[in-house]
Amino acid sequence: MNVKPHMAGVLFSGGQDSATCLAWALERFDQVETIGFTYGQRHDVEMACRLTVRNKIAETFPQWRSKLGDDHIIDLSGLGQISETSLTRDIEIEVHETGLPTTFVPGRNLIFLNFAAALGWRRGFSDLVAGMCEADFSGYPDCRKETLDAQMKAISLGLDWSFELHTPLMHLSKAGAWHLAEELGGAGLVEIIRHDSHTCYMGERGREHDWGYGCGSCPACELRAKGWESYANGL
Ligand code: ZN
């Protein structure tokens, strides 16, 4: 009997969460491809970091190397044109009158998933993997499981093709995400993610902290530093 290989597409930005998801997918699926998006981010360091993380994971883990397939970059610069956010414009990071931080790019994850699914339809993905997280996060409504379930239903109907969406970090804290990385790839993977993944909203990679590079004061750095501290203290 022919069993179709399970081929997963990972939404991969080069941040801590998506780097962990990439390892998670490589552990589970026969073939894994990565998908990145450019949407007019103010800083392009993430795009450079994502290649470093991919390459180091392939170099360090021979059991995963043969499963790691193509990298796809999708240009969504139109999203940057219609988004007035701190990630795409020179705007202070603060809480907007809607109650959401100004780092919220409206609809970003919804748009990413649609494009990933369209690509997946062409590539024959059976699964999609993404790092959305409900817990310990900035309250982005497009990271909620309910949002993603509804969207995946629309995608399956609209493409007449069913993908399973996996969000292994959905209910994990940031410390929990470090523990998951350790379970998957031991200290070697933790070190790749700590040193080479990029999360800082300010695009800062000048100074290295215990928890990796970043400005140390934007909300993404604060969350990452706090998660690392809990993880390093065995919490
Ligand atoms: Zn920062």
Side-chain angles (χ1 to χ4, degrees):
M1 194 177 86
N2 265 343
V3 179
K4 215 173 118 233
H6 277 276
M7 184 170 174
V10 180
L11 279 71
F12 180 60
S13 69
Q16 177 191 346
D17 293 344
S18 66
T20 309
C21 286
L22 175 57
W24 186 90
L26 286 165
E27 186 64 19
R28 262 164 197 77
F29 298 104
D30 305 307
Q31 281 172 281
V32 174
E33 299 193 346
T34 47
I35 310 159
F37 299 96
T38 56
Y39 53 96
Q41 297 97 317
R42 280 165 64 202
H43 311 287
D44 56 7
V45 308
E46 269 199 1
M47 296 311 278
C49 288
R50 61 192 296 288
L51 284 181
T52 311
V53 170
R54 250 185 73 102
N55 291 340
K56 284 206 181 173
I57 285 179
E59 277 165 26
T60 312
F61 300 96
Q63 73 275 30
W64 292 344
R65 188 185 307 140
S66 57
K67 299 180 176 184
L68 183 58
D70 291 355
D71 182 36
H72 307 271
I73 302 286
I74 300 176
D75 179 359
L76 295 178
S77 44
L79 184 60
Q81 283 167 20
I82 55 171
S83 298
E84 292 245 323
T85 80
S86 320
L87 299 191
T88 52
R89 304 272 170 96
D90 190 11
I91 294 173
E92 284 287 310
I93 297 176
E94 57 190 14
V95 176
H96 185 253
E97 61 200 21
T98 55
L100 286 164
T102 51
T103 49
F104 175 61
V105 180
R108 178 175 53 172
N109 284 325
L110 302 180
I111 293 164
F112 284 2
L113 272 181
N114 272 339
F115 274 83
L119 176 77
W121 187 88
R122 179 164 66 78
R123 302 288 298 166
F125 295 165
S126 51
D127 300 79
L128 293 171
V129 182
M132 291 81 162
C133 171
E134 246 180 17
D136 201 13
F137 204 66
S138 316
Y140 294 167
D142 55 349
C143 289
R144 283 189 295 219
K145 186 164 184 320
E146 196 183 350
T147 305
L148 301 175
D149 287 347
Q151 192 186 8
M152 290 315 292
K153 186 169 181 197
I155 286 174
S156 297
L157 288 169
L159 296 182
D160 201 16
W161 176 277
S162 203
F163 298 100
E164 194 168 341
L165 173 68
H166 305 267
T167 51
L169 309 184
M170 181 56 78
H171 302 294
L172 291 183
S173 65
K174 288 288 169 199
W178 287 114
H179 283 290
L180 176 60
E182 188 183 328
E183 266 170 47
L184 290 164
L189 181 64
V190 170
E191 179 53 18
I192 292 171
I193 296 175
R194 189 197 71 78
H195 187 264
D196 297 299
S197 77
H198 183 85
T199 315
C200 174
Y201 286 145
M202 308 311 290
E204 171 64 48
R205 284 197 78 76
R207 191 169 142 228
E208 187 171 18
H209 311 261
D210 293 348
W211 42 268
Y213 288 93
C215 71
S217 52
C218 76
C221 282
E222 281 179 2
L223 211 57
R224 178 161 164 152
K226 204 167 130 250
W228 175 265
E229 197 189 336
S230 301
Y231 163 71
N233 289 321
L235 299 174

